[in-house]
Amino acid sequence: MHQDAHEFLNYLLNELVDILEKESQAAKSDHETSPPEKIANGPKIALANGAQKEPLVTWVHKNFQGILPNETRCVRCETVTARDETFFDLSLDIEQNSSITSCLKNFSSTETLNAEDKLFCDKCCSLQEAQKRMKIKKPPHILVIHLKRCKYTEQLGRYKKLSYRVVFPLVLKLSNTVEDADAEYSLFSVVVHVGSGPNHGHYVSLVKSHNHGHYVSLVKSHNHWLFFDDENVEMIDESAVQTFFGSAQEYSSNTDHGYILFYERLAAGSTS
Amino acid sequence: MINNNNNINGSMSPSSTNAQSQGLKTYFKTPEGRYKLHCEKTHPAGLLPFAHGKSITQITLAHLKDKPAQAALPPSSSYSASSGVRFVAAKILGGGGNGGRALSFVGGNGTSKANGGTSRSGSLGGLNGSNSMVNSNFDGKGTYLIFNVGDTLYISDFNSQDKDPIKSIHFSISNPICHAFDSEAKDGHDLLIGLNTGDVYSVSLRQQLQDVGKKLVGAHHYNKDGSINNSRCTSISWIPEHDGAFVVAHADGNLYGYEKCKDGTGDSSFPVIKDQTQFTVAHAKSSKSNPTARWHICQGSINSIAFSTDGKYLATVGRDGYLRVFDYSNEQLICGGKSYYGALLCCAWSADGKYILTGGEDDLVQVWSMEDRKVVAWGEGHNSWVSGVAFDPYWSPPSSEDVGENVVYRFGSVGQDTQLLLWDLAMDEIVVPLRRCPPGGSPTFSNGSQSAHWDSVIPVGTLQPAPSMRDVPKLSPLVAHRVHSEPLSGLSFTQESVLTACQEGHVKFWMRPGQSESQPSNSDALLSSSLKEKTLLPGRVGGSSYKLSNSS
């Protein structure tokens, strides 16, 4: 059984979607066997049935789903291939002493596929160098950002936790979107991973070792930040959020690092 | 490598720190030449890690002139400038909330026990060696670097290569957060210190240097024990051209005005703030008390304040992301605007008062024009929050030919990405991006100096909303250089050098190109001649440099 908070979040959201879809299926078959007077509402039901042929849009989708076109451009023939991909969260590579803004910028910057990563271009019928970029097309209502703090190091042959200092603001904008206006978000929750791994200097897999990781979370509720640690709940000052950024030095005693960030989209024109 | 990483007991940490420090270059190239690392100032090792982080190092440069005549000292009997000063001053402090500990001083003979409990002999030597200077006959003339780390305020001799401070002042249970120095202060109280408890001190720097103890001496104490405001002091400033007057900004959005001649015994309570979001000014009921006024500026912390050089305008930035510019003596909001997003952390004026730089949590360096009352450029180049900004008042454009009417400014910024960035701002080179076609009109280009075209004229006293990314011209840095291994917190320009400070209290001096390696000097003549000699050297832009361009 996995112990990683990010995997759990994915599991939870996908499981919810499955359950909601099954419920909807059940409701649909109820309609099909329903008494004739209900068919009197013909047009409505036809519409509903029609809509259900598409993948069901559940509240999970409405809240968490964004669209991220995966665009590749063949360097030789310049053909652009775009494939819309949906996401519930963004997993970002992190760097020491950087910000979420910078990580997002790197995420959507143009990447060149070459050497072993060449693209098979359908037009050229061969492997070609290509440029790839990920630019958010539809920003989600709830933006979930997962920091890739767990990195496989080949030297060690195992996972290592990156304690890098990655600062995240209370308010964020996604400028690199296809939409006209910059989407503005407000931070409302942080899942914090606690622990550098035990025994100083041993690196543990965060994914599977139950004993070596611990999560706490920060949640903003009615303009106050709450700190959840198992059965303990405390009210904390907003400025305490910055103690979970990570450490600029690898050996720091601070082992509580922001791992998953939840931002909620603000209505256009509103201020935080 | 594998051995290194498998090394347990935490002994891998020093090696990794070294590796990080070794990765830092000791110079960086600009079009006008190389800036070289001249020396470093730091604090004795051995501070407990938890002492860090609670406070962030800020730096203040202080230039003490020749020792003034006795008459210039305050008339009060407690300033007899003899060896008795220490004792009397300690008594004053003792009564000022620091408890009896102020009276327990060490080493009357000049062998103060520095560094209590650390094992670094090097730093001990440094402090002991400097004790020969610390005596009551020491006139203190010279330039000093003042910086805070944890619960201590350190003073280093600016003109010595010595890494260690010559003086440390401990604040026991509280942390100094911000400080400011005025070399023109008339009664000798030239140094201001604001604490995390809200307490504020004004002291004589010379008197601190003359004293051998590790406590503040001869201090005036304001907002004792946070009696008027107990939120942390975030920024403190003398008011230029208003001798003896200063302001202190707090983390709760309030700013207080003080006049150091007032004794502060009167009623200095202020009415309750009804609406946290409204700007209000309240004056003290008693004209003799300190603080004299409270300005409620914003909801959330004021992070930094800066006066224009003439003392007319006060700029504030804060948690709400707004830059606000006030006419200080008229207590009136003139203009201001919001960051792209997130809090603003720092601000600075150009020497001519035309531009304000801000930096913040959107990783941008913002250039605000006082003439246009709006943002005229965004500097993109930091990979994390921008924690310090400053114009370089000593820099002059390399060649006069192509400058013409166009004024060029040099400024710098430091960030939590550990980088120092230098920028050139040439107003007529800033291209305002193509406007989306207005109904019935055609898209037009305009340049910065005519940017009234850009938007309609902005009325006095209004705050601008956050601009859209595509509406603001972008600047690219001239140089980007990683200067420390920790996030940076401070930047300062002097005639000879650029100073960078990191959050953990390490300060580096970067000597300007053409400066003599051996002796930094305060001589104006030396500086101006050497700067003129160094004209633009084409083709010397290094690999780590960026070409100046206007991207959009």
Side-chain angles (χ1 to χ4, degrees):
Chain A
M1 205 48 200
H2 293 302
Q3 306 294 339
D4 178 73
H6 176 237
E7 289 187 27
F8 175 71
L9 176 70
N10 269 328
Y11 171 82
L12 179 69
L13 292 179
N14 286 315
E15 198 66 16
L16 282 170
V17 169
D18 281 353
I19 292 167
L20 291 169
E21 277 175 350
K22 273 180 196 144
E23 275 183 3
S24 158
Q25 283 294 331
K28 192 180 156 191
S29 38
D30 279 352
H31 281 310
E32 278 162 5
T33 57
S34 61
E37 61 262 34
K38 284 216 171 170
I39 295 171
N41 290 330
K44 261 189 192 170
I45 286 170
L47 199 74
N49 286 343
Q52 280 173 17
K53 276 170 193 161
E54 299 283 306
L56 183 74
V57 180
T58 66
W59 59 263
V60 177
H61 295 95
K62 279 176 195 153
N63 281 299
F64 293 95
Q65 193 178 65
I67 297 172
L68 187 74
N70 187 347
E71 269 183 32
T72 50
R73 191 174 65 100
C74 173
V75 169
R76 185 156 170 255
C77 65
E78 307 240 307
T79 305
V80 175
T81 327
R83 198 176 64 245
D84 277 1
E85 289 176 1
T86 60
F87 65 90
F88 283 153
D89 64 273
L90 298 178
S91 283
L92 302 185
D93 286 313
I94 57 170
E95 286 173 12
Q96 178 58 291
N97 291 317
S98 64
S99 65
I100 283 296
T101 307
S102 166
C103 296
L104 279 168
K105 210 174 265 179
N106 289 341
F107 178 80
S108 35
S109 69
T110 304
E111 172 193 3
T112 303
L113 303 174
N114 54 17
E116 309 215 325
D117 293 329
K118 278 183 184 164
L119 172 86
F120 186 86
C121 176
D122 289 336
K123 202 171 175 192
C124 303
C125 288
S126 60
L127 284 172
Q128 292 296 334
E129 275 195 17
Q131 286 179 326
K132 178 185 168 186
R133 68 166 192 181
M134 308 270 268
K135 203 169 185 176
I136 294 166
K137 189 170 168 184
K138 180 186 164 285
H141 180 64
I142 306 286
L143 176 65
V144 182
I145 296 176
H146 161 236
L147 306 182
K148 291 188 186 169
R149 288 199 179 272
C150 185
K151 192 185 176 188
Y152 185 77
T153 46
E154 285 189 15
Q155 276 174 344
L156 300 171
R158 61 186 168 201
Y159 287 95
K160 167 186 174 175
K161 182 178 175 185
L162 302 176
S163 60
Y164 294 164
R165 189 167 193 276
V166 180
V167 298
F168 45 88
L170 298 170
V171 183
L172 183 70
K173 275 184 188 168
L174 288 180
S175 56
N176 218 354
T177 66
V178 179
E179 278 187 13
D180 197 44
D182 304 328
E184 187 171 16
Y185 288 89
S186 172
L187 183 71
F188 72 95
S189 183
V190 181
V191 174
V192 175
H193 180 265
V194 179
S196 61
N199 309 336
H200 306 288
H202 271 291
Y203 299 119
V204 296
S205 154
L206 306 179
V207 182
K208 292 194 179 154
S209 72
H210 176 69
N211 296 322
H212 301 150
H214 177 59
Y215 294 101
V216 297
S217 58
L218 312 177
V219 178
K220 192 176 182 182
S221 167
H222 300 94
N223 253 338
H224 290 289
W225 281 93
L226 301 174
F227 178 87
F228 290 82
D229 182 359
D230 291 340
E231 71 276 16
N232 300 321
V233 183
E234 283 174 54
M235 192 130 84
I236 57 165
D237 193 70
E238 180 187 85
S239 61
V241 171
Q242 61 185 320
T243 57
F244 301 102
F245 286 162
S247 23
Q249 298 287 354
E250 205 171 344
Y251 63 85
S252 170
S253 57
N254 168 15
T255 64
D256 306 0
H257 306 121
Y259 183 54
I260 306 175
L261 313 176
F262 294 82
Y263 283 92
E264 182 178 20
R265 187 163 184 180
L266 299 171
S270 83
T271 49
S272 57
Chain B
M1 202 55 183
I2 289 171
N3 280 343
N4 200 3
N5 282 342
N6 283 337
N7 200 345
I8 47 176
N9 300 329
S11 59
M12 59 155 292
S13 32
S15 61
S16 72
T17 332
N18 284 344
Q20 270 185 313
S21 310
Q22 279 160 11
L24 300 174
K25 284 188 189 165
T26 56
Y27 65 89
F28 57 90
K29 291 172 179 173
T30 67
E32 68 266 18
R34 275 176 182 230
Y35 284 69
K36 289 180 193 141
L37 181 62
H38 176 65
C39 67
E40 290 179 50
K41 301 284 184 193
T42 185
H43 53 89
L47 274 175
L48 294 170
F50 65 77
H52 297 254
K54 283 184 183 171
S55 63
I56 282 169
T57 296
Q58 293 189 15
I59 51 173
T60 294
L61 274 177
H63 183 65
L64 277 181
K65 295 171 181 172
D66 289 324
K67 191 176 184 176
Q70 286 293 91
L73 284 168
S76 157
S77 63
S78 56
Y79 298 94
S80 54
S82 69
S83 59
V85 164
R86 190 157 35 86
F87 188 76
V88 177
K91 261 197 200 158
I92 292 171
L93 252 191
N98 263 6
R101 291 191 59 187
L103 284 166
S104 63
F105 23 162
V106 280
N109 58 1
T111 55
S112 71
K113 253 193 184 173
N115 301 334
T118 75
S119 55
R120 256 192 72 205
S121 57
S123 54
L124 269 169
L127 270 182
N128 284 339
S130 63
N131 277 343
S132 58
M133 288 176 73
V134 182
N135 61 61
S136 52
N137 295 322
F138 171 55
D139 75 351
K141 185 187 171 188
T143 305
Y144 299 91
L145 174 73
I146 298 159
F147 61 104
N148 59 292
V149 182
D151 66 352
T152 308
L153 191 71
Y154 291 99
I155 306 172
S156 280
D157 185 351
F158 185 79
N159 288 321
S160 110
Q161 293 262 18
D162 201 353
K163 205 174 175 187
D164 292 300
I166 57 170
K167 169 84 186 176
S168 57
I169 300 166
H170 294 260
F171 288 82
S172 52
I173 53 160
S174 49
N175 292 349
I177 302 294
C178 48
H179 25 89
F181 181 82
D182 175 17
S183 58
E184 305 299 324
K186 287 202 179 88
D187 65 358
H189 270 222
D190 44 17
L191 178 62
L192 299 171
I193 305 159
L195 307 187
N196 66 323
T197 52
D199 293 45
V200 176
Y201 294 102
S202 76
V203 294
S204 151
L205 174 61
R206 179 172 280 117
Q207 202 181 339
Q208 309 310 309
L209 291 167
Q210 287 167 346
D211 188 80
V212 294
K214 300 174 82 175
K215 297 285 176 192
L216 212 54
V217 291
H220 285 172
H221 193 171
Y222 309 92
N223 188 25
K224 265 179 206 170
D225 306 320
S227 57
I228 292 146
N229 188 315
N230 62 7
S231 72
R232 87 171 18 212
C233 297
T234 55
S235 192
I236 194 164
S237 177
W238 291 102
I239 306 172
E241 313 295 326
H242 290 70
D243 185 56
F246 60 93
V247 296
V248 185
H250 288 262
D252 65 352
N254 287 310
L255 175 132
Y256 292 86
Y258 292 84
E259 285 175 35
K260 69 181 175 185
C261 54
K262 296 190 173 167
D263 57 11
T265 51
D267 178 11
S268 47
S269 61
F270 294 96
V272 174
I273 295 158
K274 288 184 188 115
D275 183 352
Q276 284 287 330
T277 62
Q278 288 299 308
F279 166 59
T280 54
V281 178
H283 295 268
K285 287 171 198 145
S286 153
S287 62
K288 281 183 183 167
S289 67
N290 259 322
T292 56
R294 179 198 63 199
W295 293 35
H296 180 75
I297 290 180
C298 54
Q299 201 166 9
S301 180
I302 302 170
N303 291 326
S304 181
I305 58 171
F307 274 98
S308 58
T309 45
D310 59 5
K312 185 167 164 47
Y313 295 110
L314 170 67
T316 70
V317 293
R319 151 77 179 84
D320 66 358
Y322 279 99
L323 161 73
R324 291 177 174 84
V325 184
F326 299 94
D327 180 326
Y328 186 72
S329 51
N330 290 325
E331 302 175 339
Q332 191 188 8
L333 178 70
I334 299 297
C335 59
K338 204 171 185 210
S339 66
Y340 181 46
Y341 57 80
L344 287 176
L345 305 171
C346 53
C347 59
W349 286 85
S350 64
D352 59 10
K354 287 185 179 165
Y355 297 97
I356 302 169
L357 298 173
T358 65
E361 296 180 355
D362 51 12
D363 298 5
L364 298 170
V365 178
Q366 192 168 234
V367 184
W368 179 269
S369 161
M370 281 302 285
E371 191 184 348
D372 299 325
R373 295 195 192 121
K374 67 174 185 221
V375 174
V376 289
W378 272 343
E380 284 184 312
H382 280 291
N383 298 319
S384 187
W385 297 355
V386 181
S387 47
V389 286
F391 279 96
D392 181 349
Y394 302 101
W395 183 84
S396 55
S399 71
S400 52
E401 292 154 34
D402 36 72
V403 174
E405 294 279 300
N406 183 29
V407 185
V408 181
Y409 298 83
R410 165 66 60 84
F411 62 91
S413 58
V414 293
Q416 302 213 356
D417 58 359
T418 74
Q419 292 194 102
L420 162 70
L421 267 54
L422 294 180
W423 313 74
D424 277 349
L425 175 67
M427 282 322 291
D428 69 354
E429 281 175 25
I430 289 181
V431 177
V432 175
L434 195 64
R435 292 288 293 170
R436 271 154 291 174
C437 206
S442 61
T444 50
F445 277 104
S446 67
N447 65 32
S449 58
Q450 292 171 316
S451 50
H453 291 192
W454 179 7
D455 276 318
S456 54
V457 176
I458 294 146
V460 172
T462 54
L463 293 172
Q464 298 286 298
S468 170
M469 184 46 90
R470 64 186 77 194
D471 284 344
V472 182
K474 308 298 187 303
L475 296 173
S476 295
L478 194 69
V479 179
H481 182 63
R482 252 191 88 211
V483 290
H484 292 259
S485 56
E486 299 275 349
L488 304 185
S489 60
L491 169 69
S492 186
F493 289 96
T494 73
Q495 283 185 343
E496 297 88 11
S497 56
V498 180
L499 268 64
T500 56
C502 78
Q503 287 188 357
E504 311 291 307
H506 306 288
V507 182
K508 289 186 178 178
F509 290 32
W510 302 87
M511 197 56 67
R512 290 180 191 267
Q515 287 291 321
S516 141
E517 286 282 310
S518 53
Q519 277 295 311
S521 151
N522 291 319
S523 153
D524 289 17
L526 175 71
L527 175 89
S528 51
S529 63
S530 57
L531 264 186
K532 272 169 197 156
E533 276 163 29
K534 277 287 172 200
T535 50
L536 188 73
L537 296 173
R540 291 206 51 192
V541 179
S544 62
S545 308
Y546 294 88
K547 286 224 158 53
L548 176 65
S549 65
N550 293 305
S551 60
S552 54

